[in-house]
Amino acid sequence: MSGYALTGTGTLYRLALRRDRIALPVWVYVGTGMIASTAFSFRKLYGDEASRRTFAAGIDGNGSLRALYGPIFDGSTIGGLTAWRMGVFGAVLAALMSTLLVVRHTRAEEEDGRFELIGAGAVGRRAPLTAALAAALTANAALAALVTVVLLAAGQALAGALAFGLALGTTGVFFAALAAVTAQVAETGRAANGLAGAAIGLAFVLRAVGDSGSGTGWASWLSPIGWSEQVRPFAGDRWWVLALPLGGAALLTALARALVEHRDLGAGMLPQRPGPAAAAPGLADAAALARRLQRGALLGWALAFAAGGAVFGSVAKGVVDLVGDNRQMADLMARLGGQQGVLNAYLSTIAGVFGMIAAVYAVQSVLRLRAEESSGRAEPVLAGAVSRLRWAGGHLLFPLLGTAVLLAVAGATAGLAQGAALGGGTGDAVGRMLGGTLVQLPAVWLTAAVALAVYGLLPRWTAAGWAGYGVFVLVAWLGPILQLPQWVLDLSPFTHLPHLPGGAFTAAPLLWTTGLAALAALAGLAGLRRRDLG
């Protein structure tokens, strides 16, 4: 292949960074903020080395917590505890960021037909893929650098801080290259993201199996997330392990570049299953079409929520055993959510986390409207006897009712797992957890309604709907830890919800939050009805 294959890479790289100038900083800042707040919390809870070692000893004896967070390789320093607490989830965050970024600028662009226009100019065959990978590399480098800086600011050793930052960054680079391959294999952006997401889930499970007990440690070495853990920041800093994700990324990148040359534009390597000759009776209207387009994503999210509920519910006993008589840790958990006991505090915190994750699905479902509009698929639908409000209403059923399904699934599985782990009444545990997860719905709806208002009124700024979500989550999640002023905490609807189970139920915040969501949604629909399509 001649050098012309990379023509235009620099221009496409700058375009990718410009298009994601909001989303990428949010991803990077959220990851960095979570790590910084974790280090701050450990410093406050365990100010001396003796208390840190005692805490670490409790973790090593708790198999369920090792499966969730991994083992503690160094319990004597704040950096070591931070690497334990955020290593796995920081790696998952970097993997998700990289996957979505690469697929967005490769397969999604090709699916929407924009690559055909770009390719008609002076653009090489490999340029879009190379530009997307370069953008992912930039984002992961920024994440690694900021993580290093915040740990240095927390007074931790340079070598350990750099090792931790690079462990997260190289994990993101590996999954960016994996997403580049799935973008060539699948024919749609959703399928490419689904394949890469399944790989992330498999990597998490393999690492959990390897960390859960003796005799299975080899499984961690089969997982790219496990490689990040095995770098062991602040506990020897095994730099050579970084060669595993980097080498894997190089091989996957070479495979993706080869696949680009052996497929047609717009096609994937997997054969497409031909559809039926005639549409089913259930696809006779716009709402049915919306259900057909959105049901696959809802099913995938439901399976993930079921698995997450089972995992977090089964860890409840380990959390109770770990906290024990540590009043400082119990106070921290109570400040994060819940008012009556360590178990209730933990469960209400987990319920809040599920609510924040469900809001991601809600915003994604709302923005599917923009994807249908910008791709031109909405025009044939609206050319018939279908109003804009009817078309939008079919899609909006998913952020409205789909989020309720997700939270109910998470609450039910978490309650079942908690009841099995702690013993006692499983039915009572399920009921309590269902109350804790479903009470998150008004805040989830308001987050989705803000995204809808931006889409309807300011379609060019539709991506700003994610910025609203980022503000709500950062304030609710980090605000109590950083002890921000109350007026700042009040900016997030998640901080106004009752802390269930364990807290007192009050209907007033649920009612006014739902009312605000309705007003924002009406504003967005009014804007969609009045403006020009596209």
Side-chain angles (χ1 to χ4, degrees), residues 13 19 68 71 79 89 100 116 121 130 134 158 164 181 202 207 224 245 251 352-353 370 390 486 518:
Y13 166 72
R19 291 184 62 197
L68 184 60
F89 291 100
L100 296 174
E116 189 171 359
T130 306
L158 172 61
F164 186 42
V181 173
L202 178 61
R207 181 218 53 84
L251 293 175
V353 170
R370 180 59 176 171
R390 185 180 171 191
Q486 186 61 42

PDB file of all heavy atoms in Angstrom, residues 13 19 68 71 79 89 100 116 121 130 134 158 164 181 202 207 224 245 251 352-353 370 390 486 518:
ATOM      1  N   TYR A  13      -8.045  13.762  12.078  1.00  0.00           N
ATOM      2  CA  TYR A  13      -7.711  13.718  13.501  1.00  0.00           C
ATOM      3  C   TYR A  13      -8.171  14.994  14.198  1.00  0.00           C
ATOM      4  O   TYR A  13      -8.809  14.957  15.262  1.00  0.00           O
ATOM      5  CB  TYR A  13      -6.205  13.525  13.646  1.00  0.00           C
ATOM      6  CG  TYR A  13      -5.658  13.790  15.035  1.00  0.00           C
ATOM      7  CD1 TYR A  13      -5.905  12.923  16.078  1.00  0.00           C
ATOM      8  CD2 TYR A  13      -4.884  14.921  15.278  1.00  0.00           C
ATOM      9  CE1 TYR A  13      -5.396  13.169  17.346  1.00  0.00           C
ATOM     10  CE2 TYR A  13      -4.367  15.180  16.534  1.00  0.00           C
ATOM     11  CZ  TYR A  13      -4.631  14.294  17.565  1.00  0.00           C
ATOM     12  OH  TYR A  13      -4.134  14.553  18.817  1.00  0.00           O
ATOM     13  N   ARG A  19     -15.021  17.516  17.108  1.00  0.00           N
ATOM     14  CA  ARG A  19     -16.380  16.997  17.289  1.00  0.00           C
ATOM     15  C   ARG A  19     -16.594  16.465  18.709  1.00  0.00           C
ATOM     16  O   ARG A  19     -17.715  16.494  19.214  1.00  0.00           O
ATOM     17  CB  ARG A  19     -16.655  15.878  16.279  1.00  0.00           C
ATOM     18  CG  ARG A  19     -16.756  16.364  14.836  1.00  0.00           C
ATOM     19  CD  ARG A  19     -17.122  15.220  13.930  1.00  0.00           C
ATOM     20  NE  ARG A  19     -18.427  14.667  14.294  1.00  0.00           N
ATOM     21  CZ  ARG A  19     -18.865  13.473  13.903  1.00  0.00           C
ATOM     22  NH1 ARG A  19     -18.086  12.716  13.147  1.00  0.00           N
ATOM     23  NH2 ARG A  19     -20.054  13.055  14.250  1.00  0.00           N
ATOM     24  N   LEU A  68     -14.570  -7.982  43.325  1.00  0.00           N
ATOM     25  CA  LEU A  68     -15.135  -6.740  42.813  1.00  0.00           C
ATOM     26  C   LEU A  68     -14.056  -5.714  42.499  1.00  0.00           C
ATOM     27  O   LEU A  68     -14.061  -5.103  41.429  1.00  0.00           O
ATOM     28  CB  LEU A  68     -16.116  -6.164  43.838  1.00  0.00           C
ATOM     29  CG  LEU A  68     -16.883  -4.910  43.422  1.00  0.00           C
ATOM     30  CD1 LEU A  68     -17.723  -5.179  42.183  1.00  0.00           C
ATOM     31  CD2 LEU A  68     -17.752  -4.413  44.563  1.00  0.00           C
ATOM     32  N   PRO A  71      -7.211  -7.439  44.495  1.00  0.00           N
ATOM     33  CA  PRO A  71      -6.438  -7.479  45.739  1.00  0.00           C
ATOM     34  C   PRO A  71      -5.680  -6.177  45.984  1.00  0.00           C
ATOM     35  O   PRO A  71      -5.427  -5.414  45.055  1.00  0.00           O
ATOM     36  CB  PRO A  71      -5.471  -8.644  45.501  1.00  0.00           C
ATOM     37  CG  PRO A  71      -5.270  -8.653  44.020  1.00  0.00           C
ATOM     38  CD  PRO A  71      -6.581  -8.225  43.416  1.00  0.00           C
ATOM     39  N   GLY A  79      -1.616   6.022  47.887  1.00  0.00           N
ATOM     40  CA  GLY A  79      -1.579   5.679  46.477  1.00  0.00           C
ATOM     41  C   GLY A  79      -1.915   4.222  46.238  1.00  0.00           C
ATOM     42  O   GLY A  79      -2.641   3.893  45.292  1.00  0.00           O
ATOM     43  N   PHE A  89     -12.140  -0.124  38.029  1.00  0.00           N
ATOM     44  CA  PHE A  89     -13.180   0.705  37.438  1.00  0.00           C
ATOM     45  C   PHE A  89     -12.585   1.823  36.587  1.00  0.00           C
ATOM     46  O   PHE A  89     -13.202   2.255  35.605  1.00  0.00           O
ATOM     47  CB  PHE A  89     -14.073   1.267  38.543  1.00  0.00           C
ATOM     48  CG  PHE A  89     -14.911   0.211  39.201  1.00  0.00           C
ATOM     49  CD1 PHE A  89     -14.534  -0.334  40.422  1.00  0.00           C
ATOM     50  CD2 PHE A  89     -16.039  -0.271  38.582  1.00  0.00           C
ATOM     51  CE1 PHE A  89     -15.289  -1.327  41.014  1.00  0.00           C
ATOM     52  CE2 PHE A  89     -16.815  -1.261  39.167  1.00  0.00           C
ATOM     53  CZ  PHE A  89     -16.441  -1.800  40.386  1.00  0.00           C
ATOM     54  N   LEU A 100     -16.129   3.773  22.484  1.00  0.00           N
ATOM     55  CA  LEU A 100     -17.136   4.662  21.906  1.00  0.00           C
ATOM     56  C   LEU A 100     -16.505   5.676  20.950  1.00  0.00           C
ATOM     57  O   LEU A 100     -17.083   6.019  19.910  1.00  0.00           O
ATOM     58  CB  LEU A 100     -17.893   5.379  23.020  1.00  0.00           C
ATOM     59  CG  LEU A 100     -18.726   4.482  23.939  1.00  0.00           C
ATOM     60  CD1 LEU A 100     -19.316   5.290  25.077  1.00  0.00           C
ATOM     61  CD2 LEU A 100     -19.831   3.782  23.158  1.00  0.00           C
ATOM     62  N   GLU A 116     -18.486   8.171   2.672  1.00  0.00           N
ATOM     63  CA  GLU A 116     -18.535   8.138   1.216  1.00  0.00           C
ATOM     64  C   GLU A 116     -18.233   9.518   0.638  1.00  0.00           C
ATOM     65  O   GLU A 116     -17.535   9.641  -0.369  1.00  0.00           O
ATOM     66  CB  GLU A 116     -19.907   7.657   0.764  1.00  0.00           C
ATOM     67  CG  GLU A 116     -19.995   7.382  -0.725  1.00  0.00           C
ATOM     68  CD  GLU A 116     -21.283   6.700  -1.101  1.00  0.00           C
ATOM     69  OE1 GLU A 116     -22.097   6.425  -0.197  1.00  0.00           O
ATOM     70  OE2 GLU A 116     -21.488   6.446  -2.297  1.00  0.00           O
ATOM     71  N   GLY A 121     -12.911  12.792  -1.672  1.00  0.00           N
ATOM     72  CA  GLY A 121     -11.841  13.774  -1.751  1.00  0.00           C
ATOM     73  C   GLY A 121     -10.479  13.128  -1.619  1.00  0.00           C
ATOM     74  O   GLY A 121     -10.316  11.920  -1.814  1.00  0.00           O
ATOM     75  N   THR A 130      -6.939   5.500  11.153  1.00  0.00           N
ATOM     76  CA  THR A 130      -5.746   6.002  11.821  1.00  0.00           C
ATOM     77  C   THR A 130      -6.047   7.249  12.639  1.00  0.00           C
ATOM     78  O   THR A 130      -5.559   7.414  13.760  1.00  0.00           O
ATOM     79  CB  THR A 130      -4.654   6.304  10.781  1.00  0.00           C
ATOM     80  OG1 THR A 130      -4.421   5.144   9.980  1.00  0.00           O
ATOM     81  CG2 THR A 130      -3.361   6.703  11.463  1.00  0.00           C
ATOM     82  N   ALA A 134      -5.655   7.693  16.641  1.00  0.00           N
ATOM     83  CA  ALA A 134      -4.825   8.777  17.163  1.00  0.00           C
ATOM     84  C   ALA A 134      -5.603   9.618  18.178  1.00  0.00           C
ATOM     85  O   ALA A 134      -5.060  10.050  19.201  1.00  0.00           O
ATOM     86  CB  ALA A 134      -4.333   9.654  16.016  1.00  0.00           C
ATOM     87  N   LEU A 158       6.258   9.601  42.641  1.00  0.00           N
ATOM     88  CA  LEU A 158       6.167   9.816  41.209  1.00  0.00           C
ATOM     89  C   LEU A 158       6.083   8.501  40.448  1.00  0.00           C
ATOM     90  O   LEU A 158       5.259   8.352  39.540  1.00  0.00           O
ATOM     91  CB  LEU A 158       7.372  10.617  40.726  1.00  0.00           C
ATOM     92  CG  LEU A 158       7.517  10.773  39.203  1.00  0.00           C
ATOM     93  CD1 LEU A 158       6.315  11.491  38.621  1.00  0.00           C
ATOM     94  CD2 LEU A 158       8.811  11.504  38.861  1.00  0.00           C
ATOM     95  N   PHE A 164       0.431   4.016  37.690  1.00  0.00           N
ATOM     96  CA  PHE A 164      -1.023   3.908  37.724  1.00  0.00           C
ATOM     97  C   PHE A 164      -1.651   4.608  36.522  1.00  0.00           C
ATOM     98  O   PHE A 164      -2.556   4.067  35.868  1.00  0.00           O
ATOM     99  CB  PHE A 164      -1.554   4.491  39.032  1.00  0.00           C
ATOM    100  CG  PHE A 164      -3.026   4.299  39.232  1.00  0.00           C
ATOM    101  CD1 PHE A 164      -3.636   3.099  38.912  1.00  0.00           C
ATOM    102  CD2 PHE A 164      -3.813   5.315  39.759  1.00  0.00           C
ATOM    103  CE1 PHE A 164      -5.003   2.910  39.102  1.00  0.00           C
ATOM    104  CE2 PHE A 164      -5.170   5.142  39.952  1.00  0.00           C
ATOM    105  CZ  PHE A 164      -5.764   3.932  39.618  1.00  0.00           C
ATOM    106  N   VAL A 181     -11.064  -3.122  15.377  1.00  0.00           N
ATOM    107  CA  VAL A 181     -11.327  -4.405  14.723  1.00  0.00           C
ATOM    108  C   VAL A 181     -12.826  -4.671  14.636  1.00  0.00           C
ATOM    109  O   VAL A 181     -13.347  -5.073  13.583  1.00  0.00           O
ATOM    110  CB  VAL A 181     -10.615  -5.548  15.474  1.00  0.00           C
ATOM    111  CG1 VAL A 181     -11.013  -6.907  14.899  1.00  0.00           C
ATOM    112  CG2 VAL A 181      -9.104  -5.380  15.395  1.00  0.00           C
ATOM    113  N   LEU A 202     -16.246  -9.562  29.358  1.00  0.00           N
ATOM    114  CA  LEU A 202     -15.494 -10.803  29.515  1.00  0.00           C
ATOM    115  C   LEU A 202     -14.185 -10.550  30.251  1.00  0.00           C
ATOM    116  O   LEU A 202     -13.778 -11.339  31.119  1.00  0.00           O
ATOM    117  CB  LEU A 202     -15.224 -11.424  28.145  1.00  0.00           C
ATOM    118  CG  LEU A 202     -14.394 -12.711  28.133  1.00  0.00           C
ATOM    119  CD1 LEU A 202     -15.087 -13.808  28.926  1.00  0.00           C
ATOM    120  CD2 LEU A 202     -14.128 -13.162  26.705  1.00  0.00           C
ATOM    121  N   ARG A 207     -10.969 -11.272  35.137  1.00  0.00           N
ATOM    122  CA  ARG A 207     -10.200 -10.689  36.232  1.00  0.00           C
ATOM    123  C   ARG A 207     -10.834 -11.001  37.591  1.00  0.00           C
ATOM    124  O   ARG A 207     -10.142 -11.313  38.550  1.00  0.00           O
ATOM    125  CB  ARG A 207     -10.107  -9.181  36.050  1.00  0.00           C
ATOM    126  CG  ARG A 207      -9.289  -8.482  37.140  1.00  0.00           C
ATOM    127  CD  ARG A 207      -9.893  -7.160  37.513  1.00  0.00           C
ATOM    128  NE  ARG A 207     -11.272  -7.232  37.865  1.00  0.00           N
ATOM    129  CZ  ARG A 207     -11.715  -7.554  39.077  1.00  0.00           C
ATOM    130  NH1 ARG A 207     -10.881  -7.876  40.037  1.00  0.00           N
ATOM    131  NH2 ARG A 207     -13.009  -7.591  39.321  1.00  0.00           N
ATOM    132  N   PRO A 224      -7.192  -8.102  29.766  1.00  0.00           N
ATOM    133  CA  PRO A 224      -6.505  -6.803  29.668  1.00  0.00           C
ATOM    134  C   PRO A 224      -6.728  -5.930  30.900  1.00  0.00           C
ATOM    135  O   PRO A 224      -5.849  -5.139  31.254  1.00  0.00           O
ATOM    136  CB  PRO A 224      -7.122  -6.175  28.415  1.00  0.00           C
ATOM    137  CG  PRO A 224      -7.622  -7.321  27.610  1.00  0.00           C
ATOM    138  CD  PRO A 224      -8.071  -8.342  28.603  1.00  0.00           C
ATOM    139  N   PRO A 245      -0.539  -4.779  27.074  1.00  0.00           N
ATOM    140  CA  PRO A 245      -1.580  -4.042  26.344  1.00  0.00           C
ATOM    141  C   PRO A 245      -1.052  -3.304  25.128  1.00  0.00           C
ATOM    142  O   PRO A 245      -1.744  -3.213  24.101  1.00  0.00           O
ATOM    143  CB  PRO A 245      -2.138  -3.066  27.396  1.00  0.00           C
ATOM    144  CG  PRO A 245      -1.061  -2.932  28.416  1.00  0.00           C
ATOM    145  CD  PRO A 245      -0.384  -4.269  28.449  1.00  0.00           C
ATOM    146  N   LEU A 251      -0.905  -5.385  17.582  1.00  0.00           N
ATOM    147  CA  LEU A 251      -1.387  -6.501  16.767  1.00  0.00           C
ATOM    148  C   LEU A 251      -2.820  -6.244  16.279  1.00  0.00           C
ATOM    149  O   LEU A 251      -3.147  -6.497  15.110  1.00  0.00           O
ATOM    150  CB  LEU A 251      -1.321  -7.798  17.568  1.00  0.00           C
ATOM    151  CG  LEU A 251       0.082  -8.305  17.925  1.00  0.00           C
ATOM    152  CD1 LEU A 251      -0.006  -9.534  18.814  1.00  0.00           C
ATOM    153  CD2 LEU A 251       0.872  -8.618  16.648  1.00  0.00           C
ATOM    154  N   GLY A 352     -28.235   4.508  44.223  1.00  0.00           N
ATOM    155  CA  GLY A 352     -27.932   5.772  43.560  1.00  0.00           C
ATOM    156  C   GLY A 352     -27.021   5.589  42.370  1.00  0.00           C
ATOM    157  O   GLY A 352     -27.180   6.253  41.332  1.00  0.00           O
ATOM    158  N   VAL A 353     -26.050   4.682  42.481  1.00  0.00           N
ATOM    159  CA  VAL A 353     -25.146   4.413  41.356  1.00  0.00           C
ATOM    160  C   VAL A 353     -25.922   3.834  40.175  1.00  0.00           C
ATOM    161  O   VAL A 353     -25.716   4.226  39.014  1.00  0.00           O
ATOM    162  CB  VAL A 353     -24.024   3.448  41.799  1.00  0.00           C
ATOM    163  CG1 VAL A 353     -23.222   2.967  40.592  1.00  0.00           C
ATOM    164  CG2 VAL A 353     -23.110   4.132  42.801  1.00  0.00           C
ATOM    165  N   ARG A 370     -31.813  12.266  17.413  1.00  0.00           N
ATOM    166  CA  ARG A 370     -30.876  13.065  16.613  1.00  0.00           C
ATOM    167  C   ARG A 370     -30.158  12.204  15.587  1.00  0.00           C
ATOM    168  O   ARG A 370     -29.935  12.631  14.443  1.00  0.00           O
ATOM    169  CB  ARG A 370     -29.863  13.746  17.540  1.00  0.00           C
ATOM    170  CG  ARG A 370     -28.843  14.605  16.819  1.00  0.00           C
ATOM    171  CD  ARG A 370     -29.492  15.708  16.017  1.00  0.00           C
ATOM    172  NE  ARG A 370     -28.510  16.588  15.388  1.00  0.00           N
ATOM    173  CZ  ARG A 370     -28.806  17.519  14.500  1.00  0.00           C
ATOM    174  NH1 ARG A 370     -30.062  17.713  14.132  1.00  0.00           N
ATOM    175  NH2 ARG A 370     -27.866  18.277  13.976  1.00  0.00           N
ATOM    176  N   ARG A 390     -45.613  12.254  17.266  1.00  0.00           N
ATOM    177  CA  ARG A 390     -45.863  10.811  17.300  1.00  0.00           C
ATOM    178  C   ARG A 390     -44.572  10.035  17.046  1.00  0.00           C
ATOM    179  O   ARG A 390     -44.316   9.012  17.679  1.00  0.00           O
ATOM    180  CB  ARG A 390     -46.916  10.467  16.248  1.00  0.00           C
ATOM    181  CG  ARG A 390     -47.354   9.015  16.254  1.00  0.00           C
ATOM    182  CD  ARG A 390     -48.394   8.797  15.167  1.00  0.00           C
ATOM    183  NE  ARG A 390     -48.691   7.386  14.996  1.00  0.00           N
ATOM    184  CZ  ARG A 390     -49.392   6.896  13.987  1.00  0.00           C
ATOM    185  NH1 ARG A 390     -49.875   7.734  13.064  1.00  0.00           N
ATOM    186  NH2 ARG A 390     -49.619   5.610  13.879  1.00  0.00           N
ATOM    187  N   GLN A 486     -23.938  23.479  50.090  1.00  0.00           N
ATOM    188  CA  GLN A 486     -25.235  22.887  49.819  1.00  0.00           C
ATOM    189  C   GLN A 486     -25.838  23.391  48.515  1.00  0.00           C
ATOM    190  O   GLN A 486     -26.491  22.634  47.794  1.00  0.00           O
ATOM    191  CB  GLN A 486     -26.186  23.185  50.992  1.00  0.00           C
ATOM    192  CG  GLN A 486     -27.528  22.478  50.875  1.00  0.00           C
ATOM    193  CD  GLN A 486     -27.389  20.967  50.846  1.00  0.00           C
ATOM    194  OE1 GLN A 486     -26.609  20.394  51.603  1.00  0.00           O
ATOM    195  NE2 GLN A 486     -28.130  20.307  49.958  1.00  0.00           N
ATOM    196  N   ALA A 518     -41.077  17.063  33.212  1.00  0.00           N
ATOM    197  CA  ALA A 518     -42.171  17.244  32.256  1.00  0.00           C
ATOM    198  C   ALA A 518     -42.057  18.581  31.534  1.00  0.00           C
ATOM    199  O   ALA A 518     -42.261  18.663  30.311  1.00  0.00           O
ATOM    200  CB  ALA A 518     -43.510  17.141  32.987  1.00  0.00           C
TER     201      ALA A 518
END
